[in-house]
Amino acid sequence: MMAVVWGQGRWEAVGSVAELDALLGGLAALMPEPQVVGMYTPRFLEPGFRPGTPSTLPSLQLGLGHPVRGFLYWTGPTGSLGYEPELPPWPVGVERIEFDYGGEPIACGPKLACVTPGAVRDAALEYAVTGVRPTRVRWRDS
């Protein structure tokens, strides 16, 4: 089971990879703008658990909803940013992509939004199965 969080306090518990895949597809299609989506282990669902406390378990943050770029941020013991070494060129005429993080914009340029939407989705599904940092992309310290 995973807890998937987006927007201003919206979340859903998903119990299977198929449910997660359907949820991510629906969110990407329905969001008016790219958003940050957090994936947390079942501990997130425990009463009193706070994702920002020192005891936080690893999670995966997704930049979801842009047609050509996204991001992956791993919040394990050391934060790391996912990237694809052979990424298509940055979109022409786009200085940065803003992802909504609970009402606050996060501006991402080529060094942060450095994965394709397909890689975001694949990494999310892998994390749901394994509970560890996905191997679908490479990682660098943030």
Side-chain angles (χ1 to χ4, degrees):
M1 182 181 295
M2 280 280 145
V4 180
V5 181
W6 71 95
Q8 294 182 337
R10 298 191 63 195
W11 66 275
E12 188 169 324
V14 294
S16 71
V17 172
E19 284 179 38
L20 176 62
D21 194 30
L23 176 62
L24 293 178
L27 288 175
L30 295 175
M31 294 184 294
E33 58 192 358
Q35 287 199 30
V36 177
V37 175
M39 292 181 61
Y40 300 92
T41 61
R43 180 149 183 237
F44 178 86
L45 302 172
E46 293 175 7
F49 179 72
R50 301 271 187 251
T53 63
S55 64
T56 300
L57 298 175
S59 69
L60 185 63
Q61 305 298 305
L62 317 171
L64 189 69
H66 190 271
V68 296
R69 288 292 177 106
F71 71 81
L72 293 165
Y73 182 70
W74 176 252
T75 66
T78 46
S80 52
L81 187 66
Y83 70 96
E84 290 179 283
E86 297 187 19
L87 194 62
W90 184 254
V92 175
V94 176
E95 184 177 329
R96 66 183 187 271
I97 300 167
E98 288 190 351
F99 292 87
D100 182 278
Y101 183 60
E104 297 292 324
I106 294 177
C108 296
K111 290 187 178 185
L112 294 176
C114 49
V115 293
T116 60
V120 171
R121 195 170 186 147
D122 290 349
L125 298 177
E126 181 182 346
Y127 176 56
V129 170
T130 67
V132 298
R133 189 173 76 177
T135 59
R136 162 67 171 89
V137 298
R138 292 190 184 166
W139 298 90
R140 66 175 172 250
D141 290 344
S142 60

